[in-house]
Short mmCIF file of all heavy atoms in Angstrom, two decimals:
data_model
loop_
_atom_site.label_atom_id
_atom_site.label_comp_id
_atom_site.label_asym_id
_atom_site.label_seq_id
_atom_site.Cartn_x
_atom_site.Cartn_y
_atom_site.Cartn_z
N PRO A 1 -9.02 10.97 -17.93
CA PRO A 1 -10.19 10.59 -17.16
C PRO A 1 -11.51 10.69 -17.92
O PRO A 1 -11.67 11.63 -18.68
CB PRO A 1 -10.11 11.60 -15.96
CG PRO A 1 -9.29 12.74 -16.48
CD PRO A 1 -8.30 12.14 -17.45
N SER A 2 -12.36 9.74 -17.62
CA SER A 2 -13.72 9.80 -18.30
C SER A 2 -14.71 10.69 -17.62
O SER A 2 -15.72 11.02 -18.16
CB SER A 2 -14.26 8.32 -18.36
OG SER A 2 -14.41 7.84 -17.03
N VAL A 3 -14.36 11.16 -16.37
CA VAL A 3 -15.24 12.02 -15.61
C VAL A 3 -14.45 13.24 -15.20
O VAL A 3 -13.32 13.17 -14.66
CB VAL A 3 -15.76 11.31 -14.29
CG1 VAL A 3 -16.69 12.28 -13.58
CG2 VAL A 3 -16.59 10.06 -14.75
N ASN A 4 -14.99 14.40 -15.49
CA ASN A 4 -14.37 15.67 -15.08
C ASN A 4 -14.84 15.97 -13.66
O ASN A 4 -15.99 16.38 -13.48
CB ASN A 4 -14.78 16.78 -16.06
CG ASN A 4 -14.09 18.11 -15.71
OD1 ASN A 4 -13.13 18.18 -14.99
ND2 ASN A 4 -14.69 19.20 -16.20
N LEU A 5 -13.91 15.92 -12.72
CA LEU A 5 -14.26 16.11 -11.30
C LEU A 5 -13.84 17.44 -10.76
O LEU A 5 -12.69 17.88 -11.02
CB LEU A 5 -13.51 15.03 -10.42
CG LEU A 5 -14.03 13.60 -10.61
CD1 LEU A 5 -13.17 12.66 -9.78
CD2 LEU A 5 -15.50 13.42 -10.18
N THR A 6 -14.72 18.18 -10.11
CA THR A 6 -14.45 19.46 -9.45
C THR A 6 -14.68 19.30 -7.94
O THR A 6 -15.71 18.80 -7.62
CB THR A 6 -15.32 20.56 -10.02
OG1 THR A 6 -15.06 20.75 -11.44
CG2 THR A 6 -15.13 21.86 -9.28
N LEU A 7 -13.78 19.80 -7.21
CA LEU A 7 -13.86 19.64 -5.73
C LEU A 7 -14.01 21.04 -5.15
O LEU A 7 -13.10 21.92 -5.31
CB LEU A 7 -12.61 18.97 -5.09
CG LEU A 7 -12.57 18.96 -3.60
CD1 LEU A 7 -13.72 18.10 -2.99
CD2 LEU A 7 -11.18 18.35 -3.17
N LEU A 8 -15.15 21.31 -4.50
CA LEU A 8 -15.37 22.59 -3.70
C LEU A 8 -15.12 22.24 -2.27
O LEU A 8 -15.84 21.54 -1.63
CB LEU A 8 -16.79 23.07 -3.93
CG LEU A 8 -17.37 23.14 -5.34
CD1 LEU A 8 -18.80 23.66 -5.31
CD2 LEU A 8 -16.51 24.02 -6.24
N LEU A 9 -13.96 22.71 -1.75
CA LEU A 9 -13.47 22.24 -0.50
C LEU A 9 -13.30 23.45 0.44
O LEU A 9 -12.55 24.31 0.19
CB LEU A 9 -12.12 21.53 -0.63
CG LEU A 9 -11.48 20.99 0.67
CD1 LEU A 9 -12.38 19.97 1.33
CD2 LEU A 9 -10.10 20.38 0.33
N ALA A 10 -14.03 23.40 1.59
CA ALA A 10 -13.99 24.41 2.57
C ALA A 10 -12.54 24.43 3.20
O ALA A 10 -11.91 23.37 3.42
CB ALA A 10 -14.94 24.18 3.72
N VAL A 11 -12.03 25.63 3.45
CA VAL A 11 -10.69 25.81 4.03
C VAL A 11 -10.73 25.30 5.44
O VAL A 11 -11.58 25.73 6.25
CB VAL A 11 -10.21 27.27 3.96
CG1 VAL A 11 -8.90 27.44 4.75
CG2 VAL A 11 -10.09 27.67 2.51
N VAL A 12 -9.81 24.38 5.76
CA VAL A 12 -9.66 23.90 7.16
C VAL A 12 -8.21 24.06 7.53
O VAL A 12 -7.39 24.65 6.80
CB VAL A 12 -10.08 22.38 7.27
CG1 VAL A 12 -11.52 22.27 7.04
CG2 VAL A 12 -9.25 21.50 6.25
N LYS A 13 -7.73 23.52 8.65
CA LYS A 13 -6.35 23.70 9.06
C LYS A 13 -5.50 23.27 7.89
O LYS A 13 -5.77 22.26 7.29
CB LYS A 13 -6.13 22.92 10.34
CG LYS A 13 -6.76 23.48 11.56
CD LYS A 13 -6.60 22.68 12.82
CE LYS A 13 -7.24 23.27 14.05
NZ LYS A 13 -7.03 22.53 15.25
N PHE A 14 -4.39 24.01 7.68
CA PHE A 14 -3.60 23.87 6.47
C PHE A 14 -2.99 22.46 6.25
O PHE A 14 -2.89 22.04 5.12
CB PHE A 14 -2.57 24.98 6.35
CG PHE A 14 -3.20 26.31 6.04
CD1 PHE A 14 -2.57 27.43 6.55
CD2 PHE A 14 -4.29 26.46 5.23
CE1 PHE A 14 -3.07 28.74 6.29
CE2 PHE A 14 -4.80 27.73 4.96
CZ PHE A 14 -4.23 28.86 5.48
N ASP A 15 -2.58 21.84 7.35
CA ASP A 15 -1.96 20.47 7.17
C ASP A 15 -3.02 19.51 6.65
O ASP A 15 -2.74 18.69 5.69
CB ASP A 15 -1.34 20.00 8.49
CG ASP A 15 -2.35 19.95 9.64
OD1 ASP A 15 -3.43 20.50 9.54
OD2 ASP A 15 -2.06 19.27 10.63
N ALA A 16 -4.24 19.63 7.14
CA ALA A 16 -5.33 18.74 6.66
C ALA A 16 -5.75 19.16 5.28
O ALA A 16 -5.99 18.28 4.41
CB ALA A 16 -6.54 18.80 7.62
N PHE A 17 -5.87 20.44 4.99
CA PHE A 17 -6.27 20.92 3.69
C PHE A 17 -5.26 20.51 2.62
O PHE A 17 -5.68 20.00 1.53
CB PHE A 17 -6.43 22.44 3.68
CG PHE A 17 -7.00 23.04 2.40
CD1 PHE A 17 -8.32 23.09 2.27
CD2 PHE A 17 -6.17 23.46 1.38
CE1 PHE A 17 -8.88 23.66 1.06
CE2 PHE A 17 -6.66 23.99 0.22
CZ PHE A 17 -8.03 24.08 0.08
N GLU A 18 -3.97 20.63 2.85
CA GLU A 18 -2.92 20.32 1.95
C GLU A 18 -2.89 18.79 1.69
O GLU A 18 -2.65 18.34 0.56
CB GLU A 18 -1.62 20.84 2.38
CG GLU A 18 -1.61 22.37 2.34
CD GLU A 18 -0.43 23.03 2.98
OE1 GLU A 18 0.45 22.28 3.58
OE2 GLU A 18 -0.31 24.28 2.95
N TRP A 19 -3.10 17.96 2.72
CA TRP A 19 -3.17 16.53 2.50
C TRP A 19 -4.33 16.22 1.64
O TRP A 19 -4.26 15.34 0.79
CB TRP A 19 -3.26 15.85 3.91
CG TRP A 19 -3.15 14.34 3.89
CD1 TRP A 19 -1.97 13.63 4.11
CD2 TRP A 19 -4.18 13.44 3.72
NE1 TRP A 19 -2.25 12.26 4.01
CE2 TRP A 19 -3.55 12.15 3.77
CE3 TRP A 19 -5.55 13.51 3.51
CZ2 TRP A 19 -4.34 10.96 3.59
CZ3 TRP A 19 -6.24 12.33 3.33
CH2 TRP A 19 -5.74 11.08 3.43
N ALA A 20 -5.46 16.89 1.90
CA ALA A 20 -6.72 16.60 1.12
C ALA A 20 -6.51 16.90 -0.38
O ALA A 20 -6.90 16.13 -1.22
CB ALA A 20 -7.84 17.34 1.69
N ILE A 21 -5.90 18.11 -0.71
CA ILE A 21 -5.77 18.39 -2.10
C ILE A 21 -4.70 17.58 -2.77
O ILE A 21 -4.77 17.29 -4.00
CB ILE A 21 -5.48 19.88 -2.30
CG1 ILE A 21 -4.14 20.35 -1.67
CG2 ILE A 21 -6.59 20.78 -1.74
CD1 ILE A 21 -3.68 21.73 -1.99
N GLU A 22 -3.66 17.09 -2.07
CA GLU A 22 -2.77 16.10 -2.56
C GLU A 22 -3.48 14.81 -2.99
O GLU A 22 -3.25 14.35 -4.10
CB GLU A 22 -1.65 15.83 -1.56
CG GLU A 22 -0.64 14.82 -2.05
CD GLU A 22 0.35 14.42 -0.92
OE1 GLU A 22 -0.01 13.66 -0.06
OE2 GLU A 22 1.44 15.02 -0.94
N LYS A 23 -4.32 14.27 -2.09
CA LYS A 23 -4.98 13.06 -2.39
C LYS A 23 -6.06 13.22 -3.46
O LYS A 23 -6.29 12.32 -4.23
CB LYS A 23 -5.64 12.41 -1.07
CG LYS A 23 -4.54 12.17 -0.01
CD LYS A 23 -3.40 11.41 -0.53
CE LYS A 23 -2.21 11.34 0.52
NZ LYS A 23 -1.02 10.80 -0.08
N ALA A 24 -6.67 14.39 -3.48
CA ALA A 24 -7.67 14.65 -4.47
C ALA A 24 -7.03 14.69 -5.85
O ALA A 24 -7.60 14.23 -6.84
CB ALA A 24 -8.35 16.02 -4.23
N THR A 25 -5.78 15.19 -5.95
CA THR A 25 -5.01 15.17 -7.24
C THR A 25 -4.76 13.72 -7.62
O THR A 25 -4.99 13.39 -8.83
CB THR A 25 -3.70 15.89 -7.06
OG1 THR A 25 -4.04 17.27 -6.72
CG2 THR A 25 -2.90 15.92 -8.33
N GLU A 26 -4.33 12.90 -6.73
CA GLU A 26 -4.09 11.49 -7.02
C GLU A 26 -5.34 10.81 -7.49
O GLU A 26 -5.28 9.91 -8.31
CB GLU A 26 -3.53 10.78 -5.76
CG GLU A 26 -2.13 11.29 -5.42
CD GLU A 26 -1.59 10.57 -4.13
OE1 GLU A 26 -2.03 9.50 -3.83
OE2 GLU A 26 -0.74 11.21 -3.44
N LEU A 27 -6.49 11.24 -6.98
CA LEU A 27 -7.74 10.60 -7.34
C LEU A 27 -8.42 11.22 -8.57
O LEU A 27 -9.54 10.86 -8.91
CB LEU A 27 -8.73 10.60 -6.13
CG LEU A 27 -8.37 9.64 -5.01
CD1 LEU A 27 -9.08 10.06 -3.73
CD2 LEU A 27 -8.64 8.27 -5.41
N GLY A 28 -7.76 12.11 -9.29
CA GLY A 28 -8.17 12.52 -10.60
C GLY A 28 -8.97 13.82 -10.66
O GLY A 28 -9.53 14.16 -11.70
N VAL A 29 -9.03 14.61 -9.55
CA VAL A 29 -9.78 15.89 -9.57
C VAL A 29 -9.15 16.79 -10.64
O VAL A 29 -7.94 17.00 -10.69
CB VAL A 29 -9.84 16.55 -8.19
CG1 VAL A 29 -10.21 18.01 -8.29
CG2 VAL A 29 -10.81 15.77 -7.34
N GLY A 30 -10.01 17.46 -11.37
CA GLY A 30 -9.52 18.38 -12.41
C GLY A 30 -9.45 19.87 -11.96
O GLY A 30 -8.63 20.60 -12.48
N THR A 31 -10.31 20.21 -11.03
CA THR A 31 -10.38 21.58 -10.53
C THR A 31 -10.63 21.58 -9.00
O THR A 31 -11.50 20.78 -8.55
CB THR A 31 -11.46 22.43 -11.23
OG1 THR A 31 -11.27 22.43 -12.61
CG2 THR A 31 -11.51 23.88 -10.69
N ILE A 32 -9.92 22.42 -8.28
CA ILE A 32 -10.15 22.57 -6.83
C ILE A 32 -10.46 23.99 -6.51
O ILE A 32 -9.70 24.91 -6.96
CB ILE A 32 -8.90 22.07 -6.07
CG1 ILE A 32 -8.59 20.63 -6.30
CG2 ILE A 32 -9.08 22.40 -4.55
CD1 ILE A 32 -7.28 20.13 -5.73
#
């Protein structure tokens, strides 16, 4: 990746949080 992405993500209900970090991974995030 040409851009180093970091996601600061507030904890929400776990099904939504886990879906979000899965998609963030697919979209190239380097740190969560």
Side-chain angles (χ1 to χ4, degrees):
S2 58
V3 180
N4 181 18
L5 293 173
T6 297
L7 175 63
L8 311 181
L9 180 60
V11 173
V12 293
K13 292 180 179 179
F14 288 146
D15 57 344
F17 186 88
E18 291 171 358
W19 189 92
I21 63 173
E22 177 186 81
K23 302 312 171 189
T25 299
E26 294 177 22
L27 287 165
V29 162
T31 302
I32 297 172

